[in-house]
Amino acid sequence: MTLRTVVAVTGVVVVTVYAALMALDALVLDPLAAVPGRSLAEVHAGVEAAGGSVGQAVAAVLVVAAVGVALAVLVAVLALRDGLPAPTIAVLHLGLVVLGAFATFLTTFFLGPGVADAFGTAGGTHSPWVAVLAGTSLVALVAIPTVLFTDMVRTLRHARAEALVHG
C-alpha cells in the first residue's frame, strides 16, 4: 500500500469518525445533556408533543453527516485516480474537517430548538462534544499550513540536492 493510499484512507476514516460524533452529539448526547434525568425517548416525546419533528431532525442531521463522508470518499477516489501527492490528499481531507465545524454548527439547529421549546432549556449546546469537534476543526485548520510548509521544505531540499548532484 502506497503512502498516498494510506493518507487517502486515513482521511476518509477521520472525516467519517468526525461525522459520526457530530451526528451522535446532535441527536443523542446534546439532547440528553440539555434535559438531565430524562431518557432519549422522553426527550423525543416532549419534542413531538411541543410540535417538533424528531424524524425530520434526525434525517437532516444524517444527511449533513452523509454529505461529509461522501465528500471524503470522493476526494480520496479522485485524488488517487489523478495521482495527487500525499500532502495534497491530506490537505484536502483536513479542509473537510475544518468545514465540519460549520456542519456541526448547522446540526445544532435541527433538534436543539425543539428540545429548548419542549423543556424550557437555554439555547445553545449542552454537551462538551461540540467543543471537541470545534477543537478538532481548529487543529485541522492549523495543520493545513503546517503540511504545506513541511512539503515545501522537503521539495526545496530535494531540488537543492538534485542541483548539487547534477551541477
Side-chain angles (χ1 to χ4, degrees):
M1 189 178 297
T2 67
L3 176 62
R4 293 173 52 254
T5 303
V6 170
V7 171
V9 169
T10 301
V12 170
V13 169
V14 168
V15 171
T16 301
V17 168
Y18 188 106
L21 180 56
M22 177 189 69
L24 180 66
D25 181 66
L27 298 174
V28 177
L29 302 175
D30 193 67
L32 289 175
V35 191
R38 304 269 182 138
S39 71
L40 190 59
E42 291 171 322
V43 172
H44 287 176
V47 169
E48 292 284 343
S53 175
V54 173
Q56 285 180 344
V58 169
V61 169
L62 293 180
V63 165
V64 171
V67 166
V69 173
L71 287 172
V73 170
L74 182 66
V75 163
V77 168
L78 293 178
L80 291 174
R81 183 196 74 187
D82 294 344
L84 295 180
T88 304
I89 298 169
V91 165
L92 291 170
H93 281 106
L94 287 167
L96 290 174
V97 173
V98 170
L99 293 175
F102 300 105
T104 300
F105 178 73
L106 177 65
T107 61
T108 63
F109 289 100
F110 293 129
L111 189 57
V115 172
D117 291 346
F119 295 97
T121 62
T125 59
H126 301 89
S127 105
W129 293 103
V130 168
V132 171
L133 291 166
T136 302
S137 291
L138 180 61
V139 168
L141 182 62
V142 171
I144 290 172
T146 304
V147 169
L148 292 172
F149 181 77
T150 303
D151 187 50
M152 179 191 71
V153 169
R154 184 188 58 77
T155 301
L156 289 174
R157 284 185 180 160
H158 179 72
R160 284 185 190 141
E162 285 292 317
L164 288 174
V165 170
H166 298 325

